[in-house]
Amino acid sequence: MRIGGKLYVSRPISAGIFLSYKCSGECRHCMYACSSRWSDDWISEKDLEEVLSQLSAFIQPSPLGPDKVGINYGLHITGGEPFLKFKLLLKAVRIAHELGIPSIFVETNCFWCTTDDITRKRFLELKDAGLNGVLISVNPFVVEHVPFERIDRAIRIGRDIFGANVLVYQEIFYEQFKSLGVRGTLSFEEYLRMAGFRGLMFAELLPMGRACYRLGHLFEKFPARYFFGESCVADLTRGWHVHVDNYCNFMPGYCGGISLGDARDLNSICGGIDLEERPILKFLARDLKELFEFAVKKFGYEERRDGYVSKCHLCLDIRRHIVMRTEGFEELGPREFYFHLE
Ligand code: SF4
Ligand code: SF4
């Protein structure tokens, strides 16, 4: 909600915590522009404790109970790829569990599921530490760098250990890859050759983050003015499925590269953000046209001739242009995000 010159962010009822932006792969659709090229920065145990203890007061369980999981409930531990630092992941689960946070799950691309033994051992250790479930990413972009057998193994063994608390995201691709008999990795071009565009029509492919640049050719494009008049106040202030990264940036929803403040001090965020101190947030809360005009006037931004696939593409392209020219906006962070989009 925006009242006067302040932005009031709702208390977070469900959240994801990034252990790092570092990933074993580099998906073309990644909303947070993760990859193996990122700095090897990981959240510290101290920050984990501070952030999770603040979140623990607000996080709500799945409607099915605190031992059950759901994408928009509870706490998910994510990245980047959290299994790249398994001990840190284990620590994060322990801290969250000891704080009484409900519906805890971890999100993975399964790169590490090289044998049945390793997969079972790690899932069991995490379950013992208090993990309630797992979200397994299955889509044509992950399978470009993770052999399908590893994903299949994680789902099979995950279901043995966590039962119905294995979220396969997205089930439609899992079934499609099985019916196509996919083995090993598969390039996106080869996937399209085998399956056509039909599967993608049912997929949730959000035109945000890296997808705007690497998958722009799949979407219809519009001129900037098409998105003028749109306000992002609801996206910026919602309390569900927010994210906190390893630098303690509190990110609204899926808006990679936007920081509402330091998640170790939730009161300063939920108690009202002074929009005069955060002009980019002010423009976004009012009208994307204001952000566009500001960027044109102050930073020489030029509208893309080929257009934009979504309002988030316009927003992101402008933010990236500004970040390349100044470090003056705290709300545009982490800066490195903007260097891994293409
Ligand atoms: S979508 Fe997931 S697996 Fe793919 S690069 Fe991003 S974090 Fe890594
Ligand atoms: S336009 Fe920008 S602020 Fe609004 S939802 Fe998209 S990424 Fe977030």
Side-chain angles (χ1 to χ4, degrees), residues 21-38 80-81 84 109 111 139-146 188 210-211 213-215 336-337 339-342:
Y21 284 87
K22 212 164 174 64
C23 188
S24 53
E26 183 171 320
C27 296
R28 305 187 200 202
H29 74 311
C30 188
M31 286 189 282
Y32 301 102
C34 299
S35 86
S36 58
R37 294 182 292 133
W38 265 80
E81 175 49 57
L84 282 171
N109 66 24
F111 85 96
N139 58 61
F141 310 110
V142 164
V143 89
E144 286 199 279
H145 56 90
V146 178
F188 184 56
R210 191 181 279 140
Y213 299 97
R214 296 241 186 117
L215 297 171
E336 193 173 343
F337 163 85
F339 292 85
H340 293 293
L341 286 163
E342 287 194 74

Side-chain angles (χ1 to χ4, degrees), residues 7-307:
L7 186 75
Y8 291 94
V9 178
S10 303
R11 307 266 170 204
I13 57 164
S14 65
I17 188 147
F18 284 32
L19 299 190
S20 173
Y21 284 87
K22 212 164 174 64
C23 188
S24 53
E26 183 171 320
C27 296
R28 305 187 200 202
H29 74 311
C30 188
M31 286 189 282
Y32 301 102
C34 299
S35 86
S36 58
R37 294 182 292 133
W38 265 80
S39 305
D40 198 16
D41 292 340
W42 294 78
I43 196 164
S44 69
E45 288 187 20
K46 186 170 172 290
D47 287 343
L48 261 178
E49 272 166 17
E50 281 186 43
V51 170
L52 290 177
S53 64
Q54 300 238 350
L55 290 175
S56 66
F58 309 110
I59 298 291
Q60 297 296 309
S62 153
L64 300 174
D67 298 337
K68 302 286 185 276
V69 296
I71 288 183
N72 293 323
Y73 299 101
L75 176 83
H76 59 285
I77 300 170
T78 185
E81 175 49 57
F83 280 81
L84 282 171
K85 280 234 189 298
F86 184 67
K87 281 194 177 141
L88 182 64
L89 168 60
L90 208 50
K91 186 83 196 168
V93 171
R94 277 205 189 100
I95 295 170
H97 180 63
E98 280 163 15
L99 286 164
I101 296 180
S103 304
I104 309 166
F105 64 96
V106 63
E107 192 170 341
T108 183
N109 66 24
C110 309
F111 85 96
W112 56 276
C113 299
T114 48
T115 67
D116 281 18
D117 284 351
I118 288 172
T119 310
R120 189 173 295 280
K121 186 170 172 290
R122 292 197 176 160
F123 277 160
L124 283 171
E125 270 184 86
L126 288 164
K127 192 176 184 194
D128 281 351
L131 190 76
N132 301 116
V134 190
L135 183 145
I136 293 173
S137 303
V138 193
N139 58 61
F141 310 110
V142 164
V143 89
E144 286 199 279
H145 56 90
V146 178
F148 182 61
E149 295 84 327
R150 299 188 192 180
I151 295 171
D152 200 25
R153 174 180 292 123
I155 293 171
R156 173 171 51 81
I157 297 176
R159 282 179 174 156
D160 259 9
I161 294 167
F162 295 102
N165 281 355
V166 173
L167 306 169
V168 176
Y169 190 77
Q170 301 172 24
E171 198 84 46
I172 187 171
F173 290 122
Y174 182 46
E175 293 308 322
Q176 190 181 44
F177 293 156
K178 278 196 297 184
S179 70
L180 290 170
V182 173
R183 310 284 306 162
T185 55
L186 182 71
S187 74
F188 184 56
E189 288 71 23
E190 183 65 7
Y191 165 77
L192 288 180
R193 204 187 56 74
M194 286 166 79
F197 283 88
R198 257 169 25 123
L200 288 180
M201 280 162 54
F202 300 101
E204 235 183 88
L205 182 55
L206 300 178
M208 305 179 85
R210 191 181 279 140
C212 299
Y213 299 97
R214 296 241 186 117
L215 297 171
H217 56 287
L218 298 177
F219 298 93
E220 191 179 355
K221 295 199 178 76
F222 304 91
R225 66 176 182 283
Y226 184 85
F227 304 103
F228 290 173
E230 292 209 33
S231 153
C232 287
V233 74
D235 308 88
L236 295 172
T237 59
R238 72 185 217 192
W240 57 275
H241 211 110
V242 301
H243 291 93
V244 175
D245 73 11
N246 48 301
Y247 306 107
C248 299
N249 291 305
F250 184 102
M251 279 183 282
Y254 302 118
C255 309
I258 294 183
S259 175
L260 297 181
D262 189 326
R264 289 166 295 195
D265 183 10
L266 271 189
N267 278 339
S268 70
I269 298 168
C270 302
I273 301 168
D274 186 339
L275 290 175
E276 288 314 314
E277 289 176 7
R278 301 281 184 275
I280 305 290
L281 298 182
K282 179 176 76 180
F283 300 137
L284 288 172
R286 292 207 302 221
D287 185 340
L288 272 174
K289 184 182 179 195
E290 292 191 26
L291 178 65
F292 178 82
E293 288 175 345
F294 171 77
V296 169
K297 195 166 160 209
K298 297 279 187 201
F299 295 100
Y301 179 72
E302 288 182 20
E303 180 171 357
R304 290 179 75 96
R305 286 214 194 111
D306 55 345

